[in-house]
Amino acid sequence: MAHYYAGIDLGTTATKAVVFNQKGDVLYQVSREYPMYHPQPEWSTQNPQDLLTASKDCIEDILARFEVRFISFSAAMQSLILVDEQHQALTDCMIWADNRAADIADNLKQNATGQRFYDISGIPIHSFSPMTKIAWLKEHEPALLASAHKLISAKEYIWYHLTHEYTIDTTLASGTGLMDIHSLQWSEEILNYLSIQKTQLSIIVKSTHRAYCKQYGLELVSGGGDGILANLGSGAITPDKMALTIGTSGAVRVVSNQPFIDAQMRTQCYHLYGTEYLKLGAVNNGAVVLQWLKNNILESTETYQELFEKASKVPVGSEGLLFVPYILGERAPIWDAKAKGLMIGLDMQHTQGHIIRASMEGILFGLKQIAEVLVPQKEKLSNMTLMVSGGFAKSNFWLQMTADIFQMKVEVSNTIESSAWGAVLLGFQSFEMEYHNDIKNEIVFYPNTQYNHVYQQGFERFKNVYMQFLNIAIT
């Protein structure tokens, strides 16, 4: 019997396959990148065939090296592909960053129907959600929408081509804005509003659902959404822990034993498994901000580590330079797809290092703002442990900055591939295998209290400056 297990992480910029042993040690990983397209302003798409090819390449790579017991999936959320009866894509894959539905979302958000849909689904009315993307298609491409055999995510597209079944796990379904978060079924009310049929959607299944893949001769496990599985994989599944992930985008997540609906529509709620849910806020502007800064503004060939070295020489607070990093619009907590980035306080003393550091601080300020919404009690929040994952966890400099800005203890799990490991843990559950999810957090960062005052001042400026700018822009 094979004692190797694989997690496939279908990300925004690449698909990654990670092979683990039963203890969660990473034995091997491989990735395949693919491009993002912007055929029109506010559009962000990918080629479905690119995604399928990348996934198969990764699977074939690991199977050539390891005899794995199963492969379980983690996937980026809020994507949409229309397919025909021959199961071929009718559209490109619209990803979470696609803002073409911004006007439709803004109008719906302002009326009682939008509030009602949020109360049902737990998903804010915003252009990131498949629900608003479908509303856009209803208005602009009604014939295409009506003719579509299925309306599915990137993961469902790949799953069908591997298993020949259309299913979606509850975690991904709860991110669509189409599912009733209370009943874990498609909402007839929302589907009727969009003029789509339940038969156009996949069947909702548990995250432990399995299907046999004849092409590769092994069982596949449905798994779940990447951010949700990051909680599971990092061990952030108790009330005293908060998960923080920064990849291309970013998110803050806390476990809840019931659906969480925010009166101001600032948060999302996803199903985890059983009676467990996640309340969370996700941002568009994670490490993609640094990628943009490096390639488009600084036009630098330096490595990120070299850029971080410049930032580390700048005092905390970037000597008054504040960056609000809304270069892709923003989701939580402001939910403004038309939001723009702001750099405040720039003067002659500032250098590349200041701009880099201010960008890193701005990304963390945005995530801390979400943390305060999820856990408004300051003392309770400060006593929680921040469990981190994502590419940023490879930088000790950024991790220490996180501890200092949040003023919380930060722990890094023994594998930063927490989404893929979370998927494998669901595979263990599916096969009823005994396992011990002993997360060994060998790297711990404690907050420097002497920096709290400077960062708190910067954080208060951050929270106030965007609303002030918005009021000026409106008037």
Side-chain angles (χ1 to χ4, degrees), residues 131-198:
M131 188 276 288
T132 59
K133 291 176 171 61
I134 295 171
W136 184 92
L137 289 166
K138 178 185 176 183
E139 181 172 322
H140 295 277
E141 298 280 358
L144 177 63
L145 180 63
S147 67
H149 176 57
K150 293 290 182 181
L151 315 174
I152 57 175
S153 68
K155 188 248 192 168
E156 292 163 80
Y157 181 79
I158 292 164
W159 185 265
Y160 177 83
H161 284 278
L162 294 176
T163 67
H164 302 294
E165 66 175 32
Y166 285 110
T167 57
I168 182 172
D169 66 87
T170 57
T171 73
L172 279 176
S174 62
T176 63
L178 304 172
M179 191 186 83
D180 186 328
I181 193 65
H182 309 278
S183 68
L184 304 182
Q185 299 296 323
W186 298 123
S187 167
E188 295 280 2
E189 184 176 341
I190 297 176
L191 268 55
N192 289 338
Y193 173 84
L194 296 171
S195 301
I196 61 174
Q197 306 299 315
K198 189 181 295 186

Side-chain angles (χ1 to χ4, degrees), residues 281-300:
V283 300
N284 288 351
N285 301 284
V288 69
V289 173
L290 297 177
Q291 182 183 44
W292 162 82
L293 181 65
K294 177 181 184 293
N295 297 336
N296 294 32
I297 304 302
L298 302 180
E299 296 183 339
S300 174

Side-chain angles (χ1 to χ4, degrees), residues 18 67 86 92 119 128 132 140 151 169 175 181 196 209 216 251 279 319-320 336 346 362 386 403 432 442 473:
V18 187
E67 182 181 350
Q86 285 70 48
D92 282 340
D119 292 342
F128 87 116
T132 59
H140 295 277
L151 315 174
D169 66 87
I181 193 65
I196 61 174
H209 173 75
Y216 297 120
K279 55 180 181 179
E319 295 189 303
D336 184 356
L346 191 64
L386 204 57
E432 298 182 343
E442 299 170 353

